[in-house]
Amino acid sequence: MIGFLVLLFPVLLLIFMLVMERIEEPLTRVALEREVEDFLEHASQDELATLVREGPVSAMSRFRGRLRVLSRRRRRQ
């Protein structure tokens, strides 16, 4: 009985991980779409220039950095 459980556990864990991946994928896609919408609505000219020059990864990291700085300033005040 114990041997059966030892053999069955990895298979069940793998199935669980595959199911959770299917559930997680649409959620991350929606979050990414919202983040891109926020970027396009609130990005500065410098961040838009970075988007054209260096690509979306670099531009989004600058945008997130600016948002972090703004949130820290608001907390201090």
Side-chain angles (χ1 to χ4, degrees):
M1 182 68 175
I2 301 267
F4 180 68
L5 288 175
V6 168
L7 293 174
L8 189 61
F9 180 74
V11 174
L12 291 175
L13 184 61
L14 181 64
I15 291 171
F16 176 74
M17 289 175 57
L18 290 173
V19 168
M20 291 307 292
E21 182 180 358
R22 288 184 141 206
I23 292 171
E24 182 186 15
E25 184 181 349
L27 297 174
T28 56
R29 190 178 314 137
V30 169
L32 181 63
E33 289 173 2
R34 287 182 185 156
E35 193 173 6
V36 170
E37 285 178 12
D38 286 344
F39 174 78
L40 293 176
E41 289 177 7
H42 300 103
S44 67
Q45 291 295 327
D46 185 40
E47 291 161 348
L48 291 174
T50 303
L51 174 66
V52 172
R53 188 176 57 249
E54 298 175 18
V57 175
S58 180
M60 291 299 286
S61 68
R62 282 184 179 223
F63 180 66
R64 289 184 197 120
R66 183 172 62 95
L67 291 179
R68 272 188 247 123
V69 169
L70 289 175
S71 67
R72 287 180 191 158
R73 287 182 186 168
R74 289 180 187 150
R75 286 184 208 156
R76 290 181 185 167
Q77 293 176 353

